Amino acid sequence: MVHSTEALGVGTQVSAYLNDTYLEQVDTRVIAVGEKDGTPWAAVEHCLFHPQGGGQPADRGWLEDTEIIPVRDRESGLVVPTVPEGGGLSPLAEGQKVRARIDLRVRTTHAALHTAGHLVEAVGRMQGWEMVASNHFPGQARIEFQAPRTDTRLTDPEGREEVTAVLRAAVAAAVADDLPVFARCLADGRRVVHLDELHSAPCGGTHVRSLGDLAEVALPSLKVKKGRIRVSYAATHVPHTATQASCTGTHLPYAAPHVPHPACQAPKRVGAIE
């Protein structure tokens, strides 16, 4: 996905975190700098940082040697790295070359949880339920559903455990089949994440390459409260050898089987950062 910063008099920002979940480091350039509420910010061309949103926490990252917190500026659409309270960015200028990097362990933890959340949603929909809320934060991960029709299995503890066992079996089967995970964009620019043909949903999060990358997937509880079915879950990423990937310019190493679509790359006019 690309956000045009034409209104700022600069270039474009590429969402590198969507193009390759496992890209750990990128050499890029500053396209805008400023300050908001006394806190400095600096936007870079190839944005490696996933901001908090869509139920997923923000990445942990650095610009050069300064730890930053990525946030999305609602007006411009840019992801803007800011510094924690009391911190400060080194002086940066537009056009300056910088190195951005992320904590890949944190990234893959978040990606595993987010992908597992889509999988839990998929198996819940198999029961005829509709998702109404989601949270992919470590230690808080859950998917909430509503059942359009009364499901008598959910009225007593034994029935709820029976349903939970069905969900667990479906999740385990999909992971064992190592279904591919990929993203495509619709003609209107919306990004849709697919778990092969099992499930698809609009999503701006980071995801694993395939369900076989998930480990320790657990559904410890299913609770029903005020008509909502809450399925808690946990997941980790299988151990993997991190490679110090680097990217310069506009050629990004897309991670198969991620399939970028030209509609995702269409420039979008945005306003100025305040």
Side-chain angles (χ1 to χ4, degrees), residues 42-94:
V44 296
E45 182 178 22
H46 293 90
C47 181
L48 195 59
F49 314 115
H50 183 284
Q52 180 174 320
Q56 180 174 328
D59 281 329
R60 183 181 184 218
W62 293 265
L63 266 183
E64 296 295 335
D65 295 323
T66 301
E67 185 169 356
I68 59 87
I69 300 172
V71 297
R72 185 177 296 283
D73 181 78
R74 282 184 289 183
E75 185 170 338
S76 69
L78 294 173
V79 175
V80 178
T82 63
V83 293
E85 185 176 353
L89 285 172
S90 301
L92 297 172
E94 292 180 19

Side-chain angles (χ1 to χ4, degrees), residues 71-247:
V71 297
R72 185 177 296 283
D73 181 78
R74 282 184 289 183
E75 185 170 338
S76 69
L78 294 173
V79 175
V80 178
T82 63
V83 293
E85 185 176 353
L89 285 172
S90 301
L92 297 172
E94 292 180 19
Q96 180 176 339
K97 293 181 179 180
V98 292
R99 175 162 291 182
R101 60 188 176 92
I102 59 167
D103 185 325
L104 192 57
R105 182 190 61 81
V106 172
R107 162 65 66 78
T108 54
T109 295
H110 295 169
L113 282 168
H114 204 148
T115 304
H118 281 259
L119 179 53
V120 173
E121 179 187 354
V123 299
R125 288 186 180 278
M126 291 177 184
Q127 304 302 309
W129 306 340
E130 298 175 355
M131 190 190 79
V132 293
S134 61
N135 184 330
H136 309 297
F137 276 61
Q140 306 173 31
R142 63 185 182 273
I143 305 296
E144 295 187 12
F145 301 93
Q146 285 183 337
R149 303 177 185 83
T150 301
D151 191 333
T152 57
R153 298 174 301 171
L154 303 176
T155 58
D156 62 77
E158 287 187 4
R160 288 192 291 272
E161 181 54 37
E162 176 187 336
V163 176
T164 305
V166 171
L167 299 179
R168 290 172 182 148
V171 165
V175 172
D177 287 342
D178 195 15
L179 300 180
V181 179
F182 55 92
R184 291 196 176 101
C185 279
L186 304 180
D188 60 6
R190 283 184 299 159
R191 178 177 184 260
V192 177
V193 170
H194 298 254
L195 309 183
D196 199 24
E197 296 182 358
L198 176 67
H199 179 69
S200 64
C203 182
T206 61
H207 293 276
V208 302
R209 296 185 180 99
S210 67
L211 295 186
D213 287 330
L214 299 180
E216 301 176 12
V217 183
L219 279 63
S221 67
L222 183 155
K223 299 180 180 179
V224 180
K225 187 175 182 180
K226 295 182 179 179
R228 286 196 173 191
I229 306 160
R230 176 180 290 186
V231 181
S232 299
Y233 74 93
T236 61
H237 198 289
V238 297
H240 68 285
T241 302
T243 57
Q244 190 79 190
S246 182
C247 162

Side-chain angles (χ1 to χ4, degrees), residues 2-8 75-78 267-273:
V2 176
H3 293 283
S4 170
T5 50
E6 181 181 351
L8 299 175
E75 185 170 338
S76 69
L78 294 173
K268 177 182 178 182
R269 295 186 64 86
V270 295
I273 296 175

